Amino acid sequence: MLRTLLSPRLWGLHLVVIGAVAAFILLGRWQLGVFEESGRPHASADPAPVAVEELVKAGATFSEPGRRVVASGAYDAGRQLLVPDRKPDVDAVGGRAARGAGFWVVTPLRLADGSLVPVVRSWVAQPAAAPPVPAGPVKVEGRTRPPEPTDSVQRTASSLPAGQVSTVTPAELINLWPGESVRNGFVVAADSGIKIPSPQVGGSVTWRNLAYALNWWIFAVFAVFMWVHYVREAVRTSRGQQWSQPSSPSEYSPTSSA
C-alpha cells in the first residue's frame, strides 16, 4: 500500500488535493471574516455641526449620539461639578473599574432660553488641575452624548464629596441644580482631551457570506473524500495486479507426462 501511495503517478494527485483543500479552507475563512465584519458597527457620515438646541432638548428623548454641535451661551461657574474615577475616554467604564484614573470637569452652559446643557470641558488627573471657567459669552464645539444611566458605573461604597457626581445625567444633576431646566444629554467639548467616537451605525449581517464559507469548506471535505476514494481504488487495483501475476516462472512450464 505504501508503495502505491508513493508511486509517481499519485504524487500529482496528492499535490493537487493538498493545494485545493488549502485554497478551499482559506476561501471559507475569508468569507467567514466578511460575514463577521458585516455585523460590526461602522462609522457613518459625519455631517456639519448644528446648534445644540436641535439635538439636546429638555424632557425629550435623546437622539443622534456623537453628532457635532455648536453651543453658544455663558458658563455657570458656580455650578461646576467633577465626575471622579473617569478615564479620558467616554466609552471607558467609570467608578471602581477606573478608581483614581482622573476626573471629568462638567460645567453647565446657560443657553439663550435659560436652560442648562452640561458640557464636559476637560479631563484632569487631580481636582486642583481643573482649568478656569471662561467668563462671558462663549461658543463651544463638541459632540453630543446621551444621558449616562445611573447604573453605568461601578459605584464605590462611600458617598461622593460635595461638588462631585457619579454620572452625567439629568436624574442626578437636577438635584444639584435645583430649579433649573437641564437638557437631556450633554456635550463633550472638542478641546477637552477626551476621546469620543464619531457617529456609528449598526452593521447589516450578510448571511450570504456565511453560506459561501460553508460551501467552500464542503468543497474541501469533498476533495478529501474523492482523494480517499481514488487512493483506495489505486491500492485495490495494485493488489489485484499482484495477485494475478504468477508467483514463479515454473507456473508456466508444461506439465510432463508420465
Side-chain angles (χ1 to χ4, degrees), residues 25 36 50 63 70 76-77 88 90 101 104 106 113 141 153 197 214 219 222 239:
I25 291 175
E36 293 174 341
V50 298
S63 63
V70 176
D76 190 339
V90 293
W104 288 357
V106 180
D113 63 357
E141 294 186 6
V153 300
L214 294 176
F219 292 160
F222 182 73
R239 287 177 176 174

Side-chain angles (χ1 to χ4, degrees), residues 21 85 102 122 127 171 193 198-199 239:
V21 170
D85 300 326
S122 64
S198 57
R239 287 177 176 174

Side-chain angles (χ1 to χ4, degrees), residues 84-85 95-96 99 153-162 164-166:
D85 300 326
R96 291 196 305 271
R99 179 174 296 177
V153 300
Q154 299 178 6
R155 297 173 181 270
T156 57
S158 58
S159 59
L160 296 174
Q164 295 187 13
V165 63
S166 59

Side-chain angles (χ1 to χ4, degrees), residues 56-87:
V56 184
K57 301 178 181 181
T61 302
F62 181 87
S63 63
E64 301 188 60
R67 276 290 305 272
R68 291 189 294 166
V69 293
V70 176
S72 299
Y75 281 120
D76 190 339
R79 300 182 187 275
Q80 179 166 283
L81 298 169
L82 296 175
V83 185
D85 300 326
R86 292 301 182 97
K87 298 178 180 179

Side-chain angles (χ1 to χ4, degrees), residues 56-60 108 114-118 169-185:
V56 184
K57 301 178 181 181
S115 63
L116 298 179
V117 57
T169 177
E172 293 198 42
L173 296 179
I174 58 177
N175 295 323
L176 300 173
W177 301 335
E180 298 288 351
S181 175
V182 182
R183 291 184 173 258
N184 192 29

